[in-house]
Amino acid sequence: MKGDKTLSVFVDESGMFKYPDPDSRFYIVGLVFHDQDVDITPLVRQLDRNAYELGLDTEVFTFHAGPIIRQEKGYELMNRHLRGRIFDRMMSFARHVDFKYHCVDVDKRFVTSTLQIATRLKRGIEDFLKQKRDEFADVTRVKIYYDCGQAPITNLLHQTFAAAVPCPVEFAQGVKPGSYKLFQLADLICTLHLLELKIRNGEPMTLSEFKFFGSPRTFARNVLRKIKSKEI
């Protein structure tokens, strides 16, 4: 008899779900997959210890990659060195934790409406799930963690997973990013994928990105390649 196996899917996005949108060329949905049978408690505790050692209040601190890079809300008073150490600790967590990820993205230069954004995202998620259908064969339940930040994404997740996954799909309720390190990891994945897309499409790094990572080549070598082995 097949035992119970729950696959967690943590979902985050980058960009705004709107058109036209001169400030956000790409829209990304990131999916982080984790087998709940694999205990990551020691790694989570280590990440919390790291945060405490950096002087952060682990009861309220939540990792947000974009604001860390841009020195925005919550990080305005932190210098580059401290923000870099916080980022490096999350990267270390990402390298050691057992997870896989996949990103679906839309270049809004090639759409003419929000409906087209939704259609392309839906097709991208459906195609990915169909390609990986065999990997769901021994999964008895899929549990999706999404904070319902953008309603169209909630609808897409319901439609695509219910149709493509050969087992019951459950949506966690009241998801808050601060409660799940893997949700914060999904945030990191989306941010790195966005920068990868920009570089691949010939867009310059922002001043904040350049100050934080260095050149595109340095970013690819020192950051991106350390995470790409987790991509599926």
Side-chain angles (χ1 to χ4, degrees), residues 2-229:
K2 182 168 67 171
D4 290 337
K5 178 178 178 180
T6 300
L7 182 69
S8 297
V9 185
F10 292 84
V11 184
D12 200 14
E13 73 282 315
S14 176
M16 295 300 296
F17 195 95
K18 66 177 183 178
Y19 181 89
D21 183 8
D23 299 321
S24 176
R25 173 178 172 180
F26 301 102
Y27 189 83
I28 299 164
V29 174
L31 310 171
V32 165
F33 299 89
H34 174 254
D35 180 351
Q36 287 193 5
D37 287 339
V38 179
D39 184 16
I40 65 171
T41 303
L43 292 171
V44 169
R45 288 175 177 166
Q46 180 61 53
L47 191 59
D48 282 338
R49 280 195 297 271
N50 291 337
Y52 177 80
E53 290 167 0
L54 292 175
L56 304 175
D57 184 348
T58 56
E59 294 296 320
V60 299
F61 174 75
T62 301
F63 178 91
H64 291 292
I68 286 177
I69 294 167
R70 297 186 295 269
Q71 200 174 9
E72 293 177 344
K73 185 177 180 180
Y75 305 92
E76 308 98 317
L77 303 180
M78 296 184 186
N79 60 30
R80 165 65 182 85
H81 179 69
L82 178 56
R83 288 181 289 116
R85 292 180 70 187
I86 295 170
F87 189 90
D88 289 344
R89 298 306 186 274
M90 179 57 82
M91 283 294 299
S92 178
F93 174 75
R95 290 196 302 273
H96 290 94
V97 76
D98 187 357
F99 80 100
K100 295 294 183 182
Y101 77 90
H102 182 76
C103 291
V104 177
D105 54 73
V106 174
D107 186 340
K108 285 186 263 188
R109 290 187 178 181
F110 300 102
V111 301
T112 57
S113 66
T114 53
L115 177 60
Q116 285 191 1
I117 296 174
T119 299
R120 295 193 181 199
L121 288 173
K122 184 172 185 290
R123 185 183 306 127
I125 296 173
E126 285 176 341
D127 289 347
F128 167 74
L129 293 176
K130 288 176 182 177
Q131 292 170 10
K132 301 298 179 182
R133 186 177 178 86
D134 290 346
E135 298 185 22
F136 290 97
D138 61 343
V139 175
T140 55
R141 182 179 65 148
V142 170
K143 189 167 184 177
I144 297 178
Y145 296 80
Y146 180 57
D147 64 356
C148 301
Q150 301 193 34
I153 302 305
T154 302
N155 295 334
L156 284 175
L157 294 172
H158 278 278
Q159 295 168 12
T160 54
F161 275 85
V165 175
C167 62
V169 178
E170 175 186 339
F171 282 75
Q173 301 299 310
V175 174
K176 296 181 179 180
S179 301
Y180 301 98
K181 292 295 191 290
L182 292 178
F183 195 101
Q184 296 168 50
L185 181 56
D187 169 89
L188 171 67
I189 293 298
C190 284
T191 299
L192 297 183
H193 187 74
L194 174 60
L195 189 48
E196 179 186 13
L197 278 178
K198 290 170 61 177
I199 293 170
R200 188 192 307 160
N201 285 274
E203 290 203 350
M205 299 175 81
T206 65
L207 181 59
S208 296
E209 291 164 349
F210 187 82
K211 286 182 176 180
F212 198 83
F213 294 114
S215 69
R217 179 175 294 182
T218 302
F219 166 75
R221 182 181 66 248
N222 294 344
V223 181
L224 191 60
R225 73 174 181 85
K226 294 178 180 179
I227 207 78
K228 291 293 282 185
S229 63

